[in-house]
Structures are given as C-alpha cells and as structure tokens.
Amino acid sequence: MSAEKTYPTWVDALLTALAPAIWGSTYIVTTELLPPDRPFTAALLRTLPAGILLVLYSRHLPKRAGWGRLAVLAALNIGFFQALLFVAAYRLPGGLAAVVGAIQPLLVIGLVWTLDRRQPAYLAVCASLFGVAGMAALLLAPGAVWDPIGIAAAFVGTACMALGTYLTRRWRPAMPLLALTGWQLLLGGLMLAPVAWLVDPPLPTLSTTHMLGYAYLSLFGALLAYALWFRGIARLAPVAVSSLGLLSPLVAVVMGWALLGQSITGLSLVGLLTVLGSILAVQWASSVPASTPQPQVVR
C-alpha cells in the first residue's frame, strides 16, 4: 500500500479513537459529578441537547425513505446503548463498567462474516481475541465487583453498539455527517425521555458541579464524540472502528488510577498493554485493501 493511502487511514483512526477516549471519562464523571441513581436522566441530558444543537446547525431534513433506518440506528447507537451504558456506569466500578465491550470487535466480525459473507482477516480475529484476554486480565484485578445487572447492561449495550456500527456502515444514509449525528442524538434522546420520566426520581436542585458534569457529557461525550465516531464509521472498516472502542475501558481504568487512586496491579498492566497491542494489530489488519460489496445507500 502506498504512503498516500496509508497515511489518511491512520489519521482517520486517530481521530476516531478520540471518541471512545472521551467516552472512557463517562464513568468518572457519572460517579463523581452527577446526582446518584439517575442513569436514564443522565443519558437523556447527554444526548437530547446535543442532538437539538446539531439538527439546528445542520438544517438538513432526512428524506422520507430514510426515516425508518435512521430510527433503527438512533435506537441502537443512542437510545438503547446510552441507557444501558449509564446503568452499567452506576452499578459497576470505573474500568469494569466498560470492560465487557472487549467482545464488540468479535461481534462485528461475526456480523460481517455472517451477513456480508466476508471472511475476516486472520490477524484481526487473533488480535480481537487477545483484546478479550487483555480485558480478562483487568477483570482479575482485586476489588472488581461482579454486579449481575451491571454486567448484563454492559453486555447488551455492547451488542447494540456493535450492530449499530455495522448497520451504519452498511446502510450509509445519504446525509451530511453533522446532520446524521444530530438526528440520531435527537431521536435517541426522545426515546430516552419517557424512560427517564417513568423510572428515575426527579432531579434535585442542581449544583454548579452537576451542571458542569451534564454539560461535559453533552458537548464532549455526545456532540463531539459521536461526530468523530460516525466519521470514522464512514471511513474505516467496521472491525477497525469497533476495536477502537476498547480505548474506552482503558481510559476509564487509567483515569480511575490517576484521579481516584484505584490500583493497577502488574497483571492489570499486562492487560492494558495487551489491549493496546490488539487495537494496533486490528488497525493494521483492516488497512489491507479488500474487495467488498458496495454498501446500500438510502436516497
């Protein structure tokens, strides 16, 4: 592969990697800055304001034929995923809340293999398995709390995100990036609104710390991060994008160590390095050109 083709791919990977890196801060922001026990309200206030801002800015109305698929993507990428993400964040400690996401690249590999009939690169499969092994090393760290509801929420949320990533790439709605991001955040936020109203207790009087936490999650954790994420989906292979999601638990673990004094044992450090190596290997394997069927475009 020529340098002209390789360089943009790695630039795109680095830009896309910023999204899960930002998402990795969700757990410490949720536990340290937000009111307790309001996961669906947190997901709502993260997504809906960002969606409204982007829709107003982009001023692009989806075409009639694209609304159905757009609603499905919004449910998978935003509605279900954000709700389950915050359930896991409230019930599990820092890194463990996202560590189940290590299986996401394998789920995407399975979708591509089963539905697109494209056999994955051997290196990508092996690297993804090593990523799971690295996360398993993190799970063996002392103090990990195996809350069944939290683990289940993290697992189902990971599956939703994997399917959403695959379908976003496959369907490729014919919309500008910011409009696609905004409408998904807006529709996903509207899906979360009744759940937050019915399940969560009312918000207390918000302090400055609470408002700053919600503002960070909306402007950086939703508006910026999802714009970078959907940009990456359009430019990188689905498995490559999914492998970058492993940065989220890594950032959560590092932030827990740096800011909360959580310990990182020798085994955990090996796990961190293994996951980083897995991410790099998947990016390398996915940069090899292959003949693939053209994605369907909604017009």
Side-chain angles (χ1 to χ4, degrees):
M1 179 180 294
S2 64
E4 289 78 5
K5 293 183 179 179
T6 302
Y7 176 70
T9 299
W10 283 98
V11 170
D12 291 333
L14 289 173
L15 288 174
T16 307
L18 291 176
I22 294 172
W23 291 333
S25 66
T26 295
Y27 308 102
I28 194 169
V29 171
T30 299
T31 57
E32 302 299 315
L33 302 182
L34 301 187
D37 301 324
R38 292 167 177 85
F40 303 112
T41 301
L44 171 65
L45 294 179
R46 180 184 199 176
T47 57
L48 189 58
I52 293 173
L53 287 175
L54 283 177
V55 167
L56 291 176
Y57 177 80
S58 63
R59 298 185 180 183
H60 181 93
L61 188 66
K63 296 183 179 180
R64 183 179 302 177
W67 278 104
R69 289 182 172 181
L70 186 61
V72 172
L73 295 179
L76 292 171
N77 290 322
I78 310 298
F80 292 144
F81 174 70
Q82 286 294 324
L84 294 166
L85 172 71
F86 277 96
V87 170
Y90 271 108
R91 302 186 69 97
L92 297 175
L96 184 55
V99 83
V100 182
I103 67 170
Q104 184 174 323
L106 292 173
L107 293 178
V108 173
I109 286 174
L111 288 169
V112 172
W113 197 351
T114 302
L115 300 180
D116 291 346
R117 306 299 183 190
R118 282 190 289 156
Q119 187 171 351
Y122 180 75
L123 177 58
V125 176
C126 292
S128 298
L129 290 172
F130 272 105
V132 176
M135 288 301 174
L138 286 176
L139 282 173
L140 295 176
V145 179
W146 287 81
D147 179 84
I149 296 177
I151 292 294
F155 176 81
V156 178
T158 297
C160 289
M161 193 64 169
L163 182 57
T165 298
Y166 169 79
L167 291 178
T168 302
R169 173 72 177 185
R170 181 179 177 86
W171 288 344
R172 236 167 174 180
M175 298 173 61
L177 171 66
L178 294 182
L180 175 63
T181 305
W183 279 108
Q184 288 195 66
L185 288 170
L186 176 58
L187 294 177
L190 293 175
M191 295 172 191
L192 289 165
V195 181
W197 177 271
L198 294 172
V199 177
D200 285 353
L203 281 173
T205 301
L206 296 180
S207 66
T208 302
T209 299
H210 294 153
M211 290 187 285
L212 288 175
Y214 284 126
Y216 171 81
L217 290 180
S218 184
L219 295 177
F220 291 92
L223 192 155
L224 175 61
Y226 269 107
L228 291 171
W229 186 252
F230 291 130
R231 178 187 182 277
I233 290 176
R235 294 168 180 259
L236 302 173
V239 176
V241 176
S242 294
S243 74
L244 293 173
L246 300 185
L247 289 171
S248 180
L250 293 190
V251 170
V253 169
V254 172
M255 291 188 71
W257 167 76
L259 301 179
L260 301 180
Q262 297 173 354
S263 63
I264 297 182
T265 65
L267 183 59
S268 297
L269 184 59
V270 171
L272 286 171
L273 295 176
T274 301
V275 174
L276 284 174
S278 166
I279 294 171
L280 291 174
V282 172
Q283 300 308 307
W284 180 269
S286 301
S287 68
V288 179
S291 58
T292 59
Q294 293 297 319
Q296 303 176 28
V297 177
V298 180
R299 299 189 183 278

